[in-house]
Amino acid sequence: MSGNPVASLLPTKLAPTSTFSVLMSCTIVLLFVSLLMYKWRRRRLEKLASLMPGPPALPILGNGLEFMGSPEDVMGKIISISSSYESPFRVWIGPLLIVVLKNPEDIQIVLNSSKTLGKDPLYRFFRNTVGTGLFSAPVEKWKKNRKAITPAFNNRLLENFVPVFNEQNKYLIQKLSKHVDKGTFELFDYISAATLDIICQTALGIDVKAQDNPNCEFAQALYRASELDYMRIYKFWLHTDLIFYNTGYGKELSKIYKQLHEMPNLVIKKRKDEYYQRKQRQRLIDEGKMKKPEEEEPKRMRIFLDILLELKDSGTTFTDDDLRDEVVTMMVGGSETSALTNCFCLLLLAMHPEIQDKVYNEVYSIFGDSDREVTWDDLNRLVYLEQVLKETLRRFAVGPIFLREVKEDIDLTRYTIPGGCTIALCPIALHMRSDIYPEPEKFDPDRFLPENIAKRHKYSFIPFSGGPRGCIGSKYAMYSMKTTVSTILRNYTLQTDVKMEDIKLKVDLLMRSSIGYPVTIKPRIRKPIPIPA
């Protein structure tokens, strides 16, 4: 037997197969055990999720396939699902549990709880664009920086920005003049350029002249970065950096990040050098080592970056990257949001001439037929216009969803939301609840009369989020938008063929009209307009 050559070879030939089988078996067992452990750790999360209503979900994929498609498809699905289920309801994006809220009582709990103070981990996709400014910062960094910045972001600073609002809107009026009595044109291209010029001038102290340059690289980079960052949230298979940055989208985004940060970095370095040179000169003057100039330097407008430099100089631990992140956050958060709201507002006014007339009469009561610039006091007197802007934000909340991370179980009015999931606060659904806003499809600024506001829950209107982590720039946005809309109405009458039902929506980082904002303009005859009783 021992001399049989075939028998002697058999163990040698079978050994690799046996080893492979053992390895495969071990791998399968390990995967099975890992899956069991994963399910065991998530047992409470899945049990609590099973108690909530929501669309049927596939294994592994969850409801992820429902959010595939164009930005219009995604927005349509969000609106459809939001209107189909009572709050709260659950959605699965792959293994991620998202609990959607459109109930003001629950929203108040979430926005004011320390358990949900952190932005969701999905916001990490925005950090390459805006870094870790107030919008996307981890909780501890946000607490420190918000505490430092908030006192400086006051009415005195905002009043200081009004001349910039006037300057850029005056130029906007000139740009629009070529469309007077010339038929329909797209409003967004003009409004977004003006808004970007305003935010760059008030945040960084530079005029990027976007209104003169339709192909402004910085403006295009801002828009495309928002689009690509938000896309990753819905396409969960692109959540892993290794996969995403080896796709065409990822490679494009890497180039865009460089474009976005190059200009702010250069401006911050220059402004910082100037700041410390002025401080050094003043120190030498105070010590008698340098003569005070006979003529005082022209007074410079105080900008957001100056505040950050002063805070850094006074002992805060801001790094140069922190300065850039906060400035870019303000630019991203303050340009597109205001531009879109202005465009929705002006389109709605063109659709509702009777409301446009009421706004104009308020504007005329303040300015008459003069061409004088808007003042801080004027902005505070534009009460009806503010109602119109708020109703615009109710009807078309440009930030349609806010995401919060749930660190540990949190009790809402009817359910316990498990730690480890994501809460989605959904203004686009909350603001369209007919029990809170009767005839929600109707555009009615009187909803925001003081007596009507008093009848509603405080958290039934959250276009700027709310609670301690609400938008720090909401007042800035309102004053800037009031200036733009009132200036345009002082000069032009707006008309459009668009009806409310024609407006289709799409979403990237923000919500937009997929049909644009088509209007026609005519010269404004400056006299009061009789309003039928």
Side-chain angles (χ1 to χ4, degrees), residues 329-349:
T329 293
M330 184 178 175
M331 292 164 70
V332 172
S335 58
E336 286 285 279
T337 52
S338 294
L340 288 167
T341 304
N342 278 332
C343 287
F344 274 120
C345 180
L346 291 164
L347 181 62
L348 287 165
L349 290 175

Side-chain angles (χ1 to χ4, degrees), residues 70 144 240 257 417 527:
S70 68
K144 175 174 62 70
T240 304
Y257 293 149
I417 307 301
K527 63 179 183 180

Side-chain angles (χ1 to χ4, degrees), residues 73-105:
D73 295 334
V74 172
M75 191 70 247
K77 183 58 68 172
I78 291 171
I79 293 172
S80 173
I81 291 177
S82 296
S83 62
S84 300
Y85 296 94
E86 290 297 317
S87 176
F89 64 90
R90 53 110 191 104
V91 175
W92 291 96
I93 303 295
L96 176 64
L97 171 63
I98 299 179
V99 178
V100 184
L101 302 183
K102 53 179 183 176
N103 177 25
E105 291 79 12

